[in-house]
Amino acid sequence: MDVNSAVWTVPASAREFGFFVDGQWAEAGDRPMSERKSPAHGVAVTRTVRCTRADIDHAVGVARTAFEDRRWSGLPGGERASVLLKAAAGIRARVEELALLESLESGKPIGQARGEIEGGANIFEYAAGAARALHGDAFNNLGDKMLGLVTREPIGVVGLITPWNFPFFILSERVPFILAAGCTIVSKPSEVTSATTLLLAEILSDAGLPDGVFNVVTGSGSEIGQALAEHADVDMISFTGSTAVGRSVLLASAGNFKKVGLELGGKNPQVVFADANLDEAADGVVFGICFNAGQCCVGGSRLVVEKSIAAEFEALVAAKMARVRIGDPLDPNTQMGAIVTAAQNATILGYIEAGKREGARLVCGGEAYPSDTGQFVQPTVFADVTREMSIASEEIFGPVLTISTFETFDEAMAIANDTIYGLAASIWTSNLDKATDAFRRIRAGRVWVNTTINNGPELPLGGFKQSGTGREAGIYGVEEYTEVKATHIALGRREPWVS
Ligand code: TXE
């Protein structure tokens, strides 16, 4: 289907979901339901179950059994790959259904949602290959009487806690790698965007994934997310979300010393040197902060620009900002949709007020974007931003860009690294030496040169500093979900120890 010519509408009634454990849908029974309203349209679009701690216990037990009996980890990598490829085909076959739910629950533009679902299928296809490529090592240099083997084994039961900003894409950056490694999963999506995670469970089951290998339990983060992080029978937690909750997940995980992978917040610099192609750089900077309405952990929220071109560049950015198409996420022409929740909207508007109060110069935006049905924010730019201002250092998670200037390369690097975060950074220059020097000096897990927010399953993702621990995607992403075992095999007769 051509996404641009299709007519997308809000369904007449909210779609109701159970939760998914042991290869089948579980009904709500007497559990309460959560109703999710589209943040753009203000009408109910989905209803999901508020599961309990007992549901987490049950799902973890199911995932434990499925792991211990080796119904998945015992298969050859090729057979796991085949299931992942069938799942990718299943995702592609349901792309419209998934994209519509994703757009309705999160407020993101439908064309973008569709791209993220297809991108998810692409990651499953990549990870299928990784299921076959994963291997260990052998030490044949220990003498004729010894052989050393290093094998990788699946880490076990993985608790997967995911956020609302890219519900299906972030899920897809993790699930196929965890499955490729041979692990089993209990997945806890964000309570406001659970639909596509639930449908993935059905797609995986239809693709032939054995029962109990991928389970989804829905509900609140502070109740069942916390229960999953605390659970003594979970071997690893993969968490994506705020730095504050990441810290509590790490503490909750200490009970059984489970391994924890964290992808947390960011305050990512866009460093623009005077020798860059300024028009292209301005386009990238606008995309980097407006994509997903700025609710993007790798969004470039801090423009660090060379003083000699700062005024010219600021004007270029403001002119492009004014042309960003904001509006109904179901209009295929929309580039920037709604803010996910009223709480997130209030947070963003609060930071905008703080910026005004703290003395930054408002270049454009600075207000809510008018709507009768939902919450939207104008793309906003603040210049003359100094490091003491809250908008300079705290993650806003909205379409708010700050501008600070530099005169020397060292100053640019100091400002770029002047943050507790280290998730991503972009560098814009036509000088290869400068670009190379800069990418080496920036302390971040992902760096883009003359581009921004590119991804693909081949390259790993994750953060330096308080942006997280561990890496997802790529071959690194599969290895993350394995334990390494060293085995010595003695050959020939043993030299007696007891005489
Ligand atoms: O995230 P939370 P929220 C940042 C962004 C945003 C802020 C708050 O700055 O403004 O976080 O967003 C689950 N134990 N990011 O409140 O709370 C929750 O149910 C275990 C950055 O939505 O971190 C959801 O599934 N789990 C980010 C997930 O954690 C808990 C993406 C994320 O929610 C829990 C989203 C608990 N105690 C927000 N409490 C990124 N890095 O991409 C909540 N959860």
Side-chain angles (χ1 to χ4, degrees):
M1 182 166 79
D2 176 4
V3 69
N4 292 310
S5 59
V7 178
W8 302 86
T9 51
V10 182
S13 57
R15 183 162 169 183
E16 192 159 313
F17 291 90
F19 56 111
F20 201 95
V21 177
D22 211 5
Q24 50 190 314
W25 288 103
E27 289 183 7
D30 54 8
R31 297 171 191 81
M33 301 292 286
S34 286
E35 190 172 75
R36 173 63 176 157
K37 287 191 170 137
S38 158
H41 308 96
V43 297
V45 288
T46 53
R47 282 162 55 79
T48 51
V49 183
R50 286 186 67 113
C51 291
T52 61
R53 277 182 173 252
D55 295 324
I56 285 286
D57 285 342
H58 176 61
V60 170
V62 164
R64 170 60 56 197
T65 301
F67 181 70
E68 296 299 342
D69 70 14
R70 303 179 65 80
R71 68 184 78 165
W72 179 240
S73 65
L75 297 179
E79 285 182 35
R80 287 206 291 277
S82 159
V83 171
L84 294 174
L85 289 173
K86 283 189 194 128
I91 293 167
R92 291 190 192 282
R94 296 175 72 171
V95 64
E96 267 77 45
E97 178 190 8
L98 290 160
L100 182 59
L101 281 165
E102 192 88 334
S103 174
L104 289 171
E105 285 195 331
S106 71
K108 68 175 70 216
I110 186 73
Q112 182 191 320
R114 204 174 188 281
E116 287 169 18
I117 305 296
E118 286 177 335
N122 178 49
I123 304 175
F124 271 78
E125 285 155 0
Y126 171 87
R132 312 185 76 154
L134 184 66
H135 66 279
D137 216 342
F139 284 80
N140 201 27
N141 58 351
L142 305 181
D144 283 346
K145 296 182 79 177
M146 190 66 75
L147 177 65
L149 292 179
V150 180
T151 49
R152 287 194 174 271
E153 299 180 0
I155 197 163
V157 175
V158 176
L160 179 58
I161 303 175
T162 46
W164 43 260
N165 53 343
F166 296 95
F168 195 80
F169 196 76
I170 287 179
L171 187 73
S172 302
E173 285 175 330
R174 287 144 181 81
V175 169
F177 297 99
I178 303 172
L179 294 179
C183 299
T184 62
I185 301 174
V186 176
S187 170
K188 207 299 283 175
S190 164
E191 47 274 54
V192 294
T193 54
S194 300
T196 53
T197 304
L198 288 161
L199 287 188
L200 179 66
E202 189 175 82
I203 290 168
L204 282 165
S205 184
D206 291 347
L209 187 73
D211 293 350
V213 175
F214 182 72
N215 309 279
V216 183
V217 181
T218 51
S220 109
S222 55
E223 287 167 44
I224 61 163
Q226 180 80 18
L228 193 56
E230 284 171 359
H231 208 290
D233 218 12
V234 170
D235 299 294
M236 177 170 173
I237 287 279
S238 167
F239 171 83
T240 309
S242 61
T243 296
V245 174
R247 188 169 287 115
S248 77
V249 164
L250 192 60
L251 292 172
S253 299
N256 67 335
F257 296 101
K258 60 175 73 67
K259 185 175 176 182
V260 182
L262 302 169
E263 193 192 337
L264 309 172
K267 191 75 179 171
N268 312 296
Q270 292 268 10
V271 184
V272 179
F273 290 96
D275 59 18
N277 178 323
L278 296 190
D279 193 62
E280 288 186 7
D283 188 78
V285 166
V286 172
F287 167 70
I289 191 63
C290 292
F291 178 62
N292 215 45
Q295 302 163 114
C296 181
C297 53
V298 293
S301 51
R302 287 189 299 138
L303 171 58
V304 184
V305 59
E306 195 157 348
K307 203 166 192 171
S308 58
I309 51 129
E312 180 191 351
F313 196 73
E314 180 187 305
L316 266 175
V317 166
K320 287 183 193 291
M321 285 272 188
R323 301 209 303 275
V324 174
R325 296 186 299 273
I326 309 169
D328 184 350
L330 296 188
D331 176 346
N333 290 312
T334 294
Q335 291 177 300
M336 218 179 94
I339 301 301
V340 70
T341 56
Q344 185 63 24
N345 196 53
T347 301
I348 298 167
L349 294 176
Y351 274 112
I352 290 176
E353 289 314 308
K356 293 175 187 169
R357 216 174 37 242
E358 290 169 359
R361 176 168 54 85
L362 185 65
V363 176
C364 62
E367 308 280 343
Y369 182 85
S371 163
D372 293 336
T373 53
Q375 63 255 343
F376 297 78
V377 174
Q378 291 180 349
T380 297
V381 180
F382 282 108
D384 304 337
V385 172
T386 56
R387 68 186 305 274
E388 306 73 42
M389 297 178 187
S390 59
I391 56 169
S393 57
E394 295 172 23
E395 184 180 51
I396 300 173
F397 229 57
V400 182
L401 180 72
T402 63
I403 306 182
S404 46
T405 60
F406 67 87
E407 289 183 83
T408 65
F409 181 86
D410 284 349
E411 201 187 346
M413 294 301 100
I415 298 172
N417 284 327
D418 185 17
T419 167
I420 58 166
Y421 296 112
L423 200 56
S426 301
I427 300 155
W428 300 85
T429 174
S430 57
N431 181 319
L432 182 61
D433 286 356
K434 205 183 278 183
T436 306
D437 201 5
F439 99 69
R440 285 178 171 158
R441 286 174 56 177
I442 283 178
R443 307 254 308 138
R446 299 165 85 181
V447 181
W448 293 288
V449 177
N450 293 325
T451 182
T452 198
I453 318 189
N454 293 87
N455 52 51
E458 292 82 0
L459 273 64
L461 46 112
F464 282 31
K465 302 196 272 183
Q466 293 189 32
S467 288
T469 58
R471 292 294 177 271
E472 306 284 354
I475 199 66
Y476 310 86
V478 192
E479 289 178 353
E480 199 74 38
Y481 294 97
T482 63
E483 290 276 24
V484 172
K485 181 177 281 177
T487 304
H488 285 85
I489 302 175
L491 304 161
R493 300 301 306 272
R494 178 178 171 79
E495 286 280 329
W497 184 64
V498 181
S499 50

